[in-house]
Amino acid sequence: MWDYPRPPRLEQFAGAITVELGGDTIASTTRGWRVLETSHPPTYYLPRECFADGVLRPAPGSSWCEWKGQASYLDLVTSTKRAQSAAWTYPHPTAGFEPIAGAISAMAAAVDRCTVNGEVVVPQPGGFYGGWVTSWITGPFKGIPGSMGW
């Protein structure tokens, strides 16, 4: 991931992606997108329609990404569990990121489990960034202690 670009690059991803919460698979797809940025593991975006009915609930707050624009947050909700502000979307992303308009990314640390091609991901360190660490990428990653100035 040190050879990932800055500014980041959006690319299509054709592989199995799942998100689990409260003992349920709340999202599953074999097509999505990932954002690749220097010093970050990939952030995966899933089509909104791959999420189970009723699991996406608008949450308060928003944030601004210098590359993708204004993000809105979502709670992820099952019959047994609620993960507050655990997902986000860019309703109107900036130029170059239009394909992810309305797509959803989940914070791996806020749900029970996320997988890519059957491998359980590890959340990006630090609790702020939304990257998914898998065995085929190497760090260190932004978010570890001392990395805020990278």
Side-chain angles (χ1 to χ4, degrees):
M1 38 98 342
W2 283 99
D3 58 351
Y4 290 172
R6 187 162 175 88
R9 178 178 71 235
L10 175 67
E11 64 181 31
Q12 289 185 328
F13 180 78
I17 303 170
T18 65
V19 179
E20 299 174 17
L21 180 69
D24 297 322
T25 298
I26 61 168
S28 180
T29 189
T30 56
R31 64 179 183 84
W33 302 267
R34 63 185 193 162
V35 173
L36 306 178
E37 181 178 0
T38 303
S39 78
H40 295 266
T43 302
Y44 289 85
Y45 289 82
L46 291 70
R48 182 177 288 264
E49 62 269 15
C50 80
F51 281 81
D53 289 340
V55 301
L56 300 171
R57 307 271 175 87
S62 65
S63 61
W64 178 259
C65 171
E66 65 182 310
W67 311 114
K68 296 179 289 297
Q70 187 79 34
S72 299
Y73 289 89
L74 300 158
D75 291 346
L76 299 175
V77 181
T78 68
S79 62
T80 61
K81 197 168 185 180
R82 179 182 207 100
Q84 294 184 338
S85 298
W88 66 95
T89 185
Y90 292 93
H92 307 286
T94 56
F97 291 91
E98 298 93 345
I100 62 167
I104 309 295
S105 188
M107 183 71 76
V111 298
D112 297 343
R113 188 169 101 143
C114 296
T115 66
V116 176
N117 291 331
E119 181 178 338
V120 176
V121 306
V122 174
Q124 183 171 0
F128 177 75
Y129 300 106
W132 293 9
V133 179
T134 56
S135 63
W136 56 85
I137 61 170
T138 57
F141 308 108
K142 191 156 189 162
I144 62 171
S147 66
M148 290 308 291
W150 290 0

